[in-house]
């Protein structure tokens, strides 16, 4: 069960990276044409940091059998939450089924979005 959970989390994070990421290829969120209108640059920058952290955590996570299953599940749950929070900040589905397109528009941010 733990191995299946690790695989599922890793797959979700990988799918989110493919749909919204691009930082691994040097594109970055702020320069990604489809993401430019999702919000202020500081929000986009913070969201990118969460996805980067999730990707690194999934790639460098503890191995099953070297630590307790509880530690493994906790580590990957945290990685999953980071990626989900990134998508939440951008207002996009997690992990999403297809790459974000030019037609996607996020609602206009209000003052309440910053509190």
């Amino acid at each position: 069960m733990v191995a299946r959970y690790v695989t599922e989390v890793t797959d979700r994070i990988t799918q989110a990276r493919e749909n919204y990421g691009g930082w691994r290829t040097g594109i970055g969120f702020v320069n990604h044409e489809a993401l430019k209108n999702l919000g202020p640059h500081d929000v986009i920058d913070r969201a990118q940091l969460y996805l980067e952290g999730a990707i690194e955590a999934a790639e460098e996570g503890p191995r099953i059998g070297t630590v307790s299953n509880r530690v493994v599940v906790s580590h990957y749950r945290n990685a999953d939450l980071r990626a989900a929070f990134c998508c939440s900040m951008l207002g996009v589905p997690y992990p999403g089924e297809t790459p974000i397109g030019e037609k996607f528009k996020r609602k206009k941010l209000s003052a309440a979005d910053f509190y």
Side-chain angles (χ1 to χ4, degrees):
M1 280 176 56
V2 174
R4 183 177 52 201
Y5 178 72
V6 168
T7 301
E8 290 171 358
V9 168
T10 303
D11 289 346
R12 281 195 296 271
I13 292 171
T14 301
Q15 185 67 42
R17 177 183 65 193
E18 291 172 4
N19 289 342
Y20 314 124
W23 68 274
R24 286 277 185 181
T25 59
I27 296 170
F29 278 176
V30 174
N31 296 324
H32 195 295
E33 285 298 319
L35 293 172
K36 280 185 178 177
N37 297 321
L38 290 180
H41 288 294
D42 62 325
V43 172
I44 295 171
D45 288 342
R46 280 186 282 137
Q48 180 174 340
L49 292 175
Y50 280 99
L51 184 57
E52 289 173 7
I55 293 165
E56 290 173 12
E59 290 175 348
E60 300 169 9
R63 297 186 62 172
I64 297 171
T66 60
V67 294
S68 73
N69 287 344
R70 181 181 227 168
V71 170
V72 173
V73 169
S74 177
H75 177 87
Y76 282 92
R77 176 71 176 143
N78 187 294
D80 202 21
L81 290 173
R82 287 183 197 177
F85 187 68
C86 165
C87 293
S88 174
M89 288 177 74
L90 296 175
V92 296
Y94 174 68
E97 295 181 15
T98 57
I100 191 168
E102 291 291 331
K103 295 180 181 178
F104 178 83
K105 301 286 184 201
R106 183 177 181 194
K107 70 177 179 99
K108 295 267 185 192
L109 293 174
S110 69
D113 292 321
F114 296 98
Y115 295 100

